[in-house]
Coordinates of all heavy atoms in Angstrom, one line a residue:
L549 N 12.8 -5.9 5.7 CA 12.2 -4.6 5.6 C 12.0 -4.2 4.1 O 10.9 -3.6 3.8 CB 13.1 -3.6 6.3 CG 12.6 -2.1 6.3 CD1 11.2 -2.0 6.9 CD2 13.6 -1.2 7.0
A550 N 13.0 -4.5 3.3 CA 12.8 -4.1 1.9 C 11.7 -4.9 1.2 O 11.0 -4.4 0.4 CB 14.2 -4.4 1.1
L551 N 11.6 -6.2 1.6 CA 10.5 -7.0 1.0 C 9.2 -6.5 1.4 O 8.2 -6.4 0.6 CB 10.7 -8.4 1.5 CG 9.6 -9.5 1.0 CD1 9.7 -9.6 -0.5 CD2 9.9 -10.8 1.7
A552 N 9.1 -6.0 2.7 CA 7.8 -5.4 3.2 C 7.5 -4.1 2.4 O 6.3 -3.9 2.0 CB 7.9 -5.1 4.7
L553 N 8.5 -3.3 2.1 CA 8.2 -2.0 1.4 C 7.8 -2.3 0.0 O 6.9 -1.7 -0.6 CB 9.5 -1.2 1.4 CG 9.9 -0.6 2.8 CD1 11.2 0.1 2.7 CD2 8.8 0.4 3.3
L554 N 8.5 -3.3 -0.7 CA 8.2 -3.6 -2.0 C 6.8 -4.2 -2.1 O 6.1 -4.0 -3.1 CB 9.2 -4.6 -2.6 CG 10.6 -4.0 -2.9 CD1 11.6 -5.1 -3.2 CD2 10.6 -2.9 -3.9
S555 N 6.4 -5.0 -1.1 CA 5.1 -5.6 -1.1 C 4.0 -4.5 -1.0 O 2.9 -4.6 -1.6 CB 5.0 -6.6 0.1 OG 5.9 -7.7 0.0
L556 N 4.3 -3.5 -0.2 CA 3.3 -2.4 -0.1 C 3.2 -1.7 -1.5 O 2.1 -1.3 -1.8 CB 3.8 -1.4 1.0 CG 3.7 -1.9 2.4 CD1 4.3 -0.9 3.4 CD2 2.3 -2.2 2.8
I557 N 4.3 -1.5 -2.2 CA 4.2 -0.9 -3.5 C 3.4 -1.8 -4.4 O 2.6 -1.3 -5.2 CB 5.7 -0.7 -4.1 CG1 6.4 0.3 -3.2 CG2 5.6 -0.2 -5.5 CD1 7.9 0.5 -3.6
V558 N 3.6 -3.1 -4.4 CA 2.8 -4.0 -5.2 C 1.3 -3.9 -4.9 O 0.5 -3.8 -5.8 CB 3.3 -5.5 -4.9 CG1 2.3 -6.5 -5.5 CG2 4.7 -5.7 -5.5
V559 N 1.0 -3.8 -3.6 CA -0.4 -3.7 -3.2 C -1.0 -2.4 -3.8 O -2.2 -2.3 -4.2 CB -0.6 -3.8 -1.7 CG1 -2.0 -3.4 -1.3 CG2 -0.2 -5.2 -1.2
A560 N -0.2 -1.3 -3.7 CA -0.7 0.0 -4.2 C -0.8 0.1 -5.7 O -1.7 0.8 -6.2 CB 0.3 1.1 -3.7
L561 N 0.0 -0.6 -6.4 CA 0.0 -0.4 -7.9 C -0.7 -1.6 -8.7 O -1.1 -1.3 -9.8 CB 1.5 -0.3 -8.4 CG 2.3 0.9 -7.9 CD1 3.7 0.9 -8.5 CD2 1.6 2.2 -8.3
D562 N -0.7 -2.7 -8.1 CA -1.2 -3.9 -8.9 C -2.7 -4.0 -8.8 O -3.3 -4.1 -7.7 CB -0.6 -5.2 -8.3 CG -0.7 -6.3 -9.4 OD1 -1.7 -6.5 -10.0 OD2 0.3 -7.1 -9.5
P563 N -3.4 -3.9 -9.9 CA -4.9 -4.0 -9.9 C -5.4 -5.3 -9.3 O -6.5 -5.4 -8.8 CB -5.3 -4.0 -11.4 CG -4.1 -3.3 -12.1 CD -2.9 -3.7 -11.3
A564 N -4.6 -6.4 -9.2 CA -5.0 -7.6 -8.6 C -5.3 -7.5 -7.1 O -6.0 -8.3 -6.5 CB -4.0 -8.7 -8.9
F565 N -4.7 -6.5 -6.5 CA -4.8 -6.3 -5.0 C -5.6 -5.1 -4.6 O -5.5 -4.6 -3.5 CB -3.4 -6.3 -4.4 CG -2.6 -7.4 -4.8 CD1 -1.4 -7.2 -5.6 CD2 -2.9 -8.7 -4.6 CE1 -0.6 -8.3 -6.0 CE2 -2.2 -9.8 -5.0 CZ -1.0 -9.6 -5.7
Q566 N -6.3 -4.5 -5.6 CA -7.1 -3.3 -5.3 C -8.4 -3.7 -4.5 O -9.0 -2.9 -3.8 CB -7.5 -2.5 -6.6 CG -6.3 -2.1 -7.3 CD -5.3 -1.3 -6.5 OE1 -5.7 -0.3 -5.8 NE2 -4.0 -1.7 -6.5
D567 N -8.9 -4.9 -4.7 CA -10.1 -5.4 -4.0 C -9.7 -5.6 -2.5 O -8.7 -6.2 -2.2 CB -10.6 -6.7 -4.6 CG -11.8 -7.2 -3.9 OD1 -12.8 -6.5 -3.9 OD2 -11.7 -8.3 -3.3
A568 N -10.5 -5.2 -1.6 CA -10.2 -5.3 -0.2 C -10.1 -6.7 0.3 O -9.2 -7.0 1.0 CB -11.3 -4.6 0.6
D569 N -10.9 -7.6 -0.3 CA -10.8 -9.0 0.1 C -9.5 -9.6 -0.3 O -8.8 -10.4 0.4 CB -12.0 -9.8 -0.4 CG -13.3 -9.3 0.2 OD1 -13.3 -8.8 1.3 OD2 -14.3 -9.5 -0.5
T570 N -9.1 -9.3 -1.6 CA -7.9 -9.9 -2.1 C -6.7 -9.3 -1.4 O -5.7 -9.9 -1.1 CB -7.8 -9.6 -3.6 OG1 -8.9 -10.2 -4.2 CG2 -6.5 -10.3 -4.2
G571 N -6.8 -8.0 -1.0 CA -5.6 -7.3 -0.4 C -5.3 -7.8 0.9 O -4.1 -7.6 1.4
T572 N -6.2 -8.5 1.6 CA -5.8 -9.0 2.9 C -5.0 -10.3 2.8 O -4.4 -10.7 3.8 CB -7.2 -9.4 3.7 OG1 -7.9 -10.3 2.9 CG2 -8.0 -8.1 3.9
E573 N -4.8 -10.9 1.7 CA -4.0 -12.0 1.5 C -2.5 -11.5 1.4 O -2.1 -10.9 0.5 CB -4.4 -12.8 0.2 CG -5.8 -13.4 0.3 CD -5.9 -14.6 1.2 OE1 -4.8 -15.1 1.7 OE2 -7.0 -15.0 1.5
W574 N -1.7 -11.9 2.4 CA -0.3 -11.4 2.4 C 0.6 -12.2 1.5 O 1.6 -11.6 1.0 CB 0.2 -11.5 3.8 CG 0.3 -12.9 4.3 CD1 -0.6 -13.6 5.0 CD2 1.4 -13.8 4.2 NE1 -0.2 -14.9 5.3 CE2 1.1 -15.0 4.8 CE3 2.7 -13.6 3.6 CZ2 2.0 -16.1 4.8 CZ3 3.6 -14.7 3.7 CH2 3.2 -15.9 4.3
L575 N 0.3 -13.4 1.1 CA 1.2 -14.2 0.4 C 1.4 -13.7 -1.1 O 2.5 -13.6 -1.5 CB 0.7 -15.7 0.3 CG 1.5 -16.7 -0.6 CD1 2.9 -16.8 0.0 CD2 0.9 -18.0 -0.6
L576 N 0.3 -13.3 -1.7 CA 0.4 -12.9 -3.1 C 1.3 -11.7 -3.3 O 2.1 -11.6 -4.2 CB -1.0 -12.8 -3.8 CG -1.8 -14.1 -3.9 CD1 -3.1 -13.8 -4.6 CD2 -1.0 -15.1 -4.7
P577 N 1.1 -10.6 -2.5 CA 2.0 -9.5 -2.7 C 3.4 -9.8 -2.4 O 4.3 -9.3 -3.1 CB 1.4 -8.5 -1.7 CG 0.0 -8.8 -1.5 CD 0.0 -10.3 -1.6

């Protein structure tokens, strides 16, 4: 659960995952 929450924070803050196509990749976050 903590990993999932931290992954959501990464997706929200990291410019690498702001693109919709990139954001669908779950491994990188």
Side-chain angles (χ1 to χ4, degrees):
L549 178 60
L551 181 61
L553 291 173
L554 291 172
S555 298
L556 291 175
I557 295 174
V558 167
V559 171
L561 297 180
D562 200 318
F565 308 116
Q566 301 306 308
D567 180 64
D569 295 334
T570 305
T572 58
E573 297 287 349
W574 63 271
L575 176 62
L576 292 182

